[in-house]
Coordinates of all heavy atoms in Angstrom, one line a residue:
L1 N 0.5 -10.7 2.5 CA -0.2 -11.4 1.4 C 0.4 -11.2 0.1 O 0.5 -12.1 -0.7 CB -1.7 -10.8 1.4 CG -2.6 -11.3 0.3 CD1 -2.8 -12.8 0.5 CD2 -3.9 -10.6 0.4
C2 N 1.0 -10.0 -0.2 CA 1.7 -9.7 -1.4 C 2.9 -10.6 -1.5 O 3.2 -11.1 -2.6 CB 2.0 -8.3 -1.5 SG 0.7 -7.2 -1.9
C3 N 3.6 -10.8 -0.4 CA 4.8 -11.6 -0.5 C 4.4 -13.1 -0.8 O 5.1 -13.7 -1.6 CB 5.5 -11.6 0.9 SG 6.4 -10.1 1.2
E4 N 3.3 -13.6 -0.3 CA 2.9 -14.9 -0.6 C 2.4 -15.0 -2.0 O 2.7 -16.0 -2.7 CB 1.8 -15.3 0.4 CG 2.3 -15.6 1.8 CD 1.2 -15.9 2.8 OE1 0.1 -16.5 2.3 OE2 1.3 -15.7 4.0
L5 N 1.6 -14.0 -2.5 CA 1.0 -14.1 -3.8 C 2.0 -13.9 -4.9 O 1.7 -14.3 -6.1 CB -0.2 -13.1 -3.9 CG -1.4 -13.4 -3.1 CD1 -2.4 -12.3 -3.2 CD2 -2.0 -14.8 -3.5
Q6 N 3.1 -13.2 -4.7 CA 4.0 -12.9 -5.7 C 4.6 -14.2 -6.4 O 5.0 -14.2 -7.6 CB 5.2 -12.1 -5.3 CG 6.2 -12.7 -4.4 CD 7.3 -11.8 -4.0 OE1 7.5 -10.7 -4.6 NE2 8.1 -12.2 -3.1
L7 N 4.5 -15.3 -5.7 CA 5.0 -16.6 -6.2 C 4.0 -17.1 -7.2 O 4.3 -17.8 -8.2 CB 5.2 -17.6 -5.1 CG 6.2 -17.2 -4.1 CD1 6.2 -18.3 -2.9 CD2 7.6 -17.1 -4.7
V8 N 2.7 -16.7 -7.1 CA 1.6 -17.2 -8.0 C 1.4 -16.1 -9.1 O 1.2 -16.5 -10.2 CB 0.3 -17.4 -7.2 CG1 -0.8 -17.8 -8.1 CG2 0.6 -18.4 -6.1
D9 N 1.4 -14.9 -8.7 CA 1.1 -13.8 -9.7 C 2.0 -12.6 -9.4 O 1.8 -11.9 -8.4 CB -0.4 -13.4 -9.5 CG -0.9 -12.5 -10.6 OD1 -0.1 -11.8 -11.2 OD2 -2.1 -12.4 -10.8
R10 N 2.9 -12.4 -10.3 CA 3.9 -11.4 -10.1 C 3.3 -9.9 -10.2 O 4.0 -9.0 -9.8 CB 5.0 -11.5 -11.2 CG 5.7 -12.8 -11.3 CD 6.8 -13.1 -10.4 NE 7.9 -12.1 -10.5 CZ 8.7 -12.0 -9.5 NH1 8.7 -12.8 -8.5 NH2 9.7 -11.1 -9.5
R11 N 2.1 -9.8 -10.6 CA 1.5 -8.5 -10.7 C 1.3 -7.9 -9.3 O 1.1 -6.6 -9.2 CB 0.2 -8.5 -11.4 CG 0.4 -8.8 -12.9 CD -0.9 -8.9 -13.6 NE -1.6 -10.2 -13.2 CZ -2.8 -10.5 -13.5 NH1 -3.5 -9.7 -14.3 NH2 -3.3 -11.6 -13.2
V12 N 1.3 -8.7 -8.2 CA 1.1 -8.1 -6.9 C 2.3 -7.2 -6.5 O 2.1 -6.3 -5.7 CB 0.8 -9.2 -5.8 CG1 -0.4 -9.9 -6.0 CG2 2.0 -10.1 -5.7
I13 N 3.4 -7.4 -7.1 CA 4.6 -6.6 -6.9 C 4.2 -5.2 -7.3 O 4.6 -4.2 -6.6 CB 5.8 -7.1 -7.6 CG1 6.2 -8.5 -7.0 CG2 7.0 -6.1 -7.5 CD1 7.3 -9.2 -7.8
D14 N 3.5 -5.0 -8.4 CA 3.1 -3.6 -8.8 C 2.2 -3.0 -7.8 O 2.3 -1.8 -7.5 CB 2.4 -3.7 -10.2 CG 3.4 -4.1 -11.3 OD1 4.6 -3.8 -11.1 OD2 2.9 -4.6 -12.3
I15 N 1.3 -3.8 -7.2 CA 0.4 -3.3 -6.2 C 1.1 -2.8 -5.0 O 0.9 -1.6 -4.5 CB -0.7 -4.3 -5.8 CG1 -1.6 -4.6 -7.0 CG2 -1.5 -3.9 -4.6 CD1 -2.6 -5.7 -6.7
I16 N 2.1 -3.6 -4.4 CA 2.8 -3.1 -3.2 C 3.7 -2.0 -3.6 O 3.9 -1.1 -2.7 CB 3.5 -4.3 -2.6 CG1 3.9 -4.0 -1.1 CG2 4.8 -4.7 -3.3 CD1 2.7 -3.8 -0.2
R17 N 4.2 -1.9 -4.8 CA 5.0 -0.7 -5.2 C 4.2 0.5 -5.2 O 4.6 1.6 -4.7 CB 5.7 -0.9 -6.5 CG 6.9 -1.8 -6.5 CD 7.5 -1.8 -7.9 NE 8.6 -2.7 -7.9 CZ 8.9 -3.5 -8.9 NH1 8.2 -3.4 -10.1 NH2 9.9 -4.4 -8.9
K18 N 3.0 0.5 -5.7 CA 2.1 1.6 -5.8 C 1.7 2.1 -4.4 O 1.7 3.3 -4.1 CB 0.9 1.3 -6.6 CG 1.1 1.1 -8.1 CD -0.1 0.7 -8.8 CE 0.2 0.5 -10.3 NZ -1.0 0.0 -11.0
I19 N 1.4 1.1 -3.5 CA 1.0 1.4 -2.2 C 2.2 2.1 -1.4 O 2.0 3.2 -0.8 CB 0.6 0.2 -1.4 CG1 -0.7 -0.3 -1.9 CG2 0.5 0.5 0.1 CD1 -1.1 -1.7 -1.4
T20 N 3.4 1.5 -1.5 CA 4.5 2.1 -0.8 C 4.9 3.5 -1.4 O 5.3 4.4 -0.6 CB 5.7 1.2 -0.8 OG1 6.1 0.8 -2.1 CG2 5.4 0.0 0.1
N21 N 4.8 3.7 -2.7 CA 5.1 5.0 -3.3 C 4.1 6.0 -2.8 O 4.5 7.1 -2.4 CB 5.0 4.9 -4.8 CG 6.2 4.3 -5.4 OD1 7.3 4.2 -4.8 ND2 6.1 3.8 -6.6
E22 N 2.9 5.7 -2.7 CA 1.9 6.7 -2.2 C 2.0 6.9 -0.7 O 1.7 8.0 -0.2 CB 0.5 6.2 -2.6 CG 0.2 6.3 -4.0 CD -1.3 6.0 -4.4 OE1 -2.2 6.6 -3.6 OE2 -1.5 5.3 -5.3
L23 N 2.4 5.9 0.0 CA 2.5 6.1 1.5 C 3.8 6.8 1.9 O 3.9 7.3 3.0 CB 2.5 4.7 2.2 CG 1.1 4.0 2.2 CD1 1.3 2.6 2.8 CD2 0.1 4.8 2.9
S24 N 4.8 6.9 1.0 CA 6.1 7.4 1.3 C 6.0 8.9 1.8 O 6.8 9.4 2.5 CB 7.1 7.3 0.2 OG 6.6 8.1 -0.9
G25 N 4.9 9.6 1.3 CA 4.8 11.0 1.7 C 3.9 11.2 2.9 O 3.7 12.3 3.3
I26 N 3.5 10.1 3.5 CA 2.6 10.3 4.7 C 3.4 9.8 6.0 O 3.9 8.7 6.0 CB 1.4 9.4 4.6 CG1 0.6 9.8 3.4 CG2 0.5 9.5 5.9 CD1 -0.6 8.9 3.1
N27 N 3.6 10.7 6.9 CA 4.2 10.4 8.2 C 3.1 10.2 9.2 O 2.4 11.1 9.6 CB 5.1 11.6 8.6 CG 6.1 11.2 9.6 OD1 6.1 10.1 10.1 ND2 7.0 12.1 9.9
I28 N 2.9 8.9 9.6 CA 1.8 8.6 10.4 C 2.0 8.8 11.9 O 2.6 8.0 12.6 CB 1.4 7.1 10.2 CG1 1.1 6.9 8.7 CG2 0.2 6.7 11.0 CD1 1.0 5.5 8.2
R29 N 1.6 10.0 12.3 CA 1.7 10.4 13.7 C 0.4 10.6 14.4 O 0.3 10.6 15.6 CB 2.5 11.7 13.8 CG 4.0 11.6 13.3 CD 4.7 12.8 13.5 NE 6.1 12.6 13.1 CZ 7.0 13.5 12.9 NH1 6.7 14.8 13.1 NH2 8.2 13.2 12.5
T30 N -0.6 10.9 13.6 CA -2.0 11.2 14.2 C -3.0 10.2 13.6 O -2.7 9.6 12.6 CB -2.4 12.6 13.9 OG1 -2.6 12.8 12.5 CG2 -1.4 13.6 14.4
D31 N -4.2 10.2 14.1 CA -5.3 9.4 13.6 C -5.6 9.9 12.2 O -6.0 9.1 11.3 CB -6.5 9.5 14.5 CG -6.3 8.6 15.7 OD1 -5.4 7.8 15.8 OD2 -7.2 8.7 16.7
E32 N -5.5 11.2 11.9 CA -5.9 11.8 10.6 C -4.9 11.2 9.6 O -5.2 10.9 8.5 CB -5.8 13.3 10.6 CG -7.0 13.9 11.4 CD -6.7 13.9 12.9 OE1 -5.6 13.9 13.4 OE2 -7.7 14.0 13.6
D33 N -3.6 11.2 10.0 CA -2.6 10.6 9.1 C -2.9 9.1 8.8 O -2.8 8.7 7.6 CB -1.2 10.7 9.7 CG -0.7 12.1 9.9 OD1 -1.2 13.0 9.2 OD2 0.2 12.3 10.8
A34 N -3.3 8.4 9.8 CA -3.6 7.0 9.6 C -4.8 6.8 8.7 O -4.9 5.9 7.9 CB -3.9 6.3 11.0
D35 N -5.8 7.7 8.9 CA -7.0 7.7 8.0 C -6.6 7.9 6.5 O -7.1 7.2 5.6 CB -8.0 8.7 8.4 CG -8.8 8.3 9.6 OD1 -8.8 7.1 10.0 OD2 -9.3 9.2 10.3
R36 N -5.7 8.9 6.3 CA -5.2 9.1 4.9 C -4.4 7.9 4.4 O -4.6 7.5 3.2 CB -4.2 10.3 4.9 CG -5.0 11.6 5.0 CD -4.1 12.9 4.9 NE -2.9 12.7 4.2 CZ -1.7 13.1 4.7 NH1 -1.6 13.7 5.9 NH2 -0.6 13.0 4.0
A37 N -3.7 7.2 5.2 CA -2.9 6.0 4.8 C -3.9 4.9 4.5 O -3.7 4.1 3.6 CB -1.9 5.6 5.9
M38 N -4.9 4.7 5.3 CA -5.9 3.7 5.1 C -6.6 3.9 3.7 O -7.0 3.0 3.0 CB -6.9 3.6 6.2 CG -6.4 2.8 7.4 SD -5.9 1.1 7.1 CE -7.4 0.3 6.7
K39 N -6.8 5.2 3.4 CA -7.5 5.5 2.1 C -6.6 5.0 0.9 O -7.1 4.5 -0.1 CB -7.7 7.0 2.0 CG -8.9 7.5 2.8 CD -9.1 8.9 2.6 CE -10.3 9.4 3.6 NZ -10.4 10.8 3.6
V40 N -5.3 5.1 1.1 CA -4.3 4.6 0.1 C -4.5 3.1 0.0 O -4.6 2.6 -1.1 CB -2.9 5.0 0.4 CG1 -1.9 4.3 -0.5 CG2 -2.7 6.5 0.4
L41 N -4.5 2.4 1.1 CA -4.6 1.0 1.1 C -5.9 0.6 0.4 O -6.0 -0.4 -0.3 CB -4.6 0.4 2.5 CG -3.3 0.2 3.2 CD1 -3.5 -0.5 4.6 CD2 -2.4 -0.6 2.4
R42 N -7.0 1.3 0.7 CA -8.3 1.0 0.2 C -8.4 1.2 -1.4 O -9.3 0.6 -2.0 CB -9.4 1.8 0.9 CG -9.7 1.2 2.2 CD -10.9 1.8 2.9 NE -11.3 1.2 4.1 CZ -11.0 1.6 5.3 NH1 -10.3 2.7 5.5 NH2 -11.3 0.9 6.4
K43 N -7.4 1.9 -1.9 CA -7.4 2.0 -3.4 C -7.0 0.7 -4.0 O -7.4 0.4 -5.1 CB -6.3 3.0 -3.8 CG -6.7 4.4 -3.7 CD -5.5 5.2 -4.2 CE -5.7 6.7 -4.3 NZ -4.5 7.4 -4.8
Y44 N -6.3 -0.1 -3.3 CA -5.7 -1.4 -3.9 C -6.2 -2.6 -3.2 O -6.0 -3.7 -3.6 CB -4.2 -1.3 -3.8 CG -3.6 -0.1 -4.5 CD1 -3.2 1.0 -3.8 CD2 -3.5 -0.1 -5.9 CE1 -2.8 2.1 -4.4 CE2 -3.0 1.0 -6.5 CZ -2.7 2.1 -5.8 OH -2.2 3.3 -6.4

């Protein structure tokens, strides 16, 4: 969605950058890790 929307609104690039920066510290191996990662997604 961000890739598609960046053509219309460049601000989505900031959203995906923020998401990836926050997710970079999470290694998703367990359901608990996945829950933490989903909380990051739900911020944006």
